[in-house]
Amino acid sequence: MISKKKIEAFIFDLDGVLTDTAEYHYLAWKRLADEEGLPFSRKDNEQLRGVSRRASLDLILKGRNVSEKKIQEMMDRKNGYYRSYLETVSEKDLLSGAVELLDRLKKKGIRLALASASKNAPTVIDKLGIVGYFEVIADGNSVEKTKPAPDLFLYAAEQLNLEPQVCLVIEDAEAGIAAAQAAGMHTIGIGPVERVGAADFVYPSVAEIKVEEII
Ligand code: B16
Ligand code: MG
């Protein structure tokens, strides 16, 4: 049951909500997959939304028998490619309406946290110029168990010193909505209902979120 307590904090996912680094993740995985002779398409890439680096590689490997050493090497190689694509990221890569939403929430006294599965999240938000908005930054290094486990969102709430029931998560991934609900938080899903329809509120994009409708 959804709690009637006032929402005190918004917890933002990064990729797919504030920016779209999914294309860079795709290009980096594609380069690795081509080098390794592994089939990998844009459609396959959709399954990796919000999923950790390790879980993404497992999905690409589809049960192939690969040593732990080789897995680590492949993850490092993909991350090197991804980071080279990140070099050109700047404020121009913020999704439409993202900064306006952060500003509006700040003015309303809502506390803000970031909770991204990405170990590169601090670099990305620095390049986007939005570090100053967040009181708490939870990333792929903050917890062991990644989305759809609730751990990352619970960690963010704990750092804010707030109960989960007064937190609202904005996510673009099915695994992210599941994680936030498992944490006992309110949810906004960004994207098609087929993907994020389980959320309390669904909007096609961040620019269309109506804050007054929610808090
Ligand atoms: P990294 P999010 C996620 O970011 C991406 O959506 C997902 O595609 C990526 O595999 C994951 O971060 C890990 O990223 O390799 O940089 O640690 O949506 O949780 O902000
Ligand atoms: Mg995401």
Side-chain angles (χ1 to χ4, degrees):
M1 202 182 73
I2 296 174
S3 140
K4 292 268 187 296
K5 283 186 191 165
K6 193 175 165 286
I7 289 167
E8 292 185 42
F10 268 46
I11 303 178
F12 281 82
D13 175 48
L14 178 59
D15 179 22
V17 171
L18 296 171
T19 187
D20 222 345
T21 34
E23 180 65 13
Y24 299 136
H25 281 295
Y26 168 71
L27 293 172
W29 282 126
K30 180 69 182 151
R31 196 163 154 189
L32 177 93
D34 286 350
E35 285 166 359
E36 294 296 324
L38 298 164
F40 182 62
S41 65
R42 279 187 186 276
K43 194 161 166 273
D44 296 328
N45 190 57
E46 267 302 297
Q47 285 181 284
L48 311 187
R49 194 178 280 271
V51 169
S52 73
R53 197 181 306 167
R54 175 60 191 255
S56 298
L57 181 56
D58 287 344
L59 285 168
I60 293 168
L61 288 172
K62 292 193 180 92
R64 283 178 179 81
N65 194 11
V66 179
S67 72
E68 193 52 39
K69 191 164 169 253
K70 177 80 178 171
I71 284 180
Q72 288 303 328
E73 183 278 317
M74 286 198 274
M75 287 198 295
D76 289 347
R77 197 174 352 139
K78 181 268 174 177
N79 196 46
Y81 298 150
Y82 178 62
R83 290 193 65 89
S84 72
Y85 297 133
L86 286 184
E87 273 167 32
T88 60
V89 169
S90 69
E91 285 167 27
K92 69 175 183 343
D93 295 290
L94 279 159
L95 285 175
S96 164
V99 164
E100 291 78 356
L101 177 62
L102 293 169
D103 277 331
R104 203 146 22 109
L105 292 168
K106 266 252 140 108
K107 279 204 192 104
K108 283 187 174 292
I110 300 282
R111 297 172 68 194
L112 304 177
L114 186 87
S116 165
S118 176
K119 292 183 173 166
N120 294 295
T123 306
V124 176
I125 58 168
D126 183 42
K127 287 185 161 285
L128 293 171
I130 54 170
V131 176
Y133 282 99
F134 301 104
E135 223 178 292
V136 165
I137 293 165
D139 65 20
N141 298 300
S142 305
V143 293
E144 290 264 313
K145 278 206 246 160
T146 52
K147 305 168 190 177
D151 302 34
L152 189 67
F153 294 125
L154 290 174
Y155 173 86
E158 204 178 287
Q159 296 296 306
L160 288 165
N161 206 10
L162 289 175
E163 297 174 74
Q165 298 94 301
V166 297
C167 298
L168 180 145
V169 169
I170 309 190
E171 258 289 348
D172 70 307
E174 195 176 353
I177 297 292
Q181 290 180 333
M185 299 181 181
H186 300 268
T187 49
I188 294 180
I190 302 298
V193 279
E194 302 82 63
R195 195 173 76 213
V196 290
D200 302 320
F201 302 90
V202 176
Y203 298 99
S205 73
V206 168
E208 281 146 297
I209 294 178
K210 294 187 182 60
V211 175
E212 281 66 31
E213 202 173 280
I214 296 160
I215 52 178

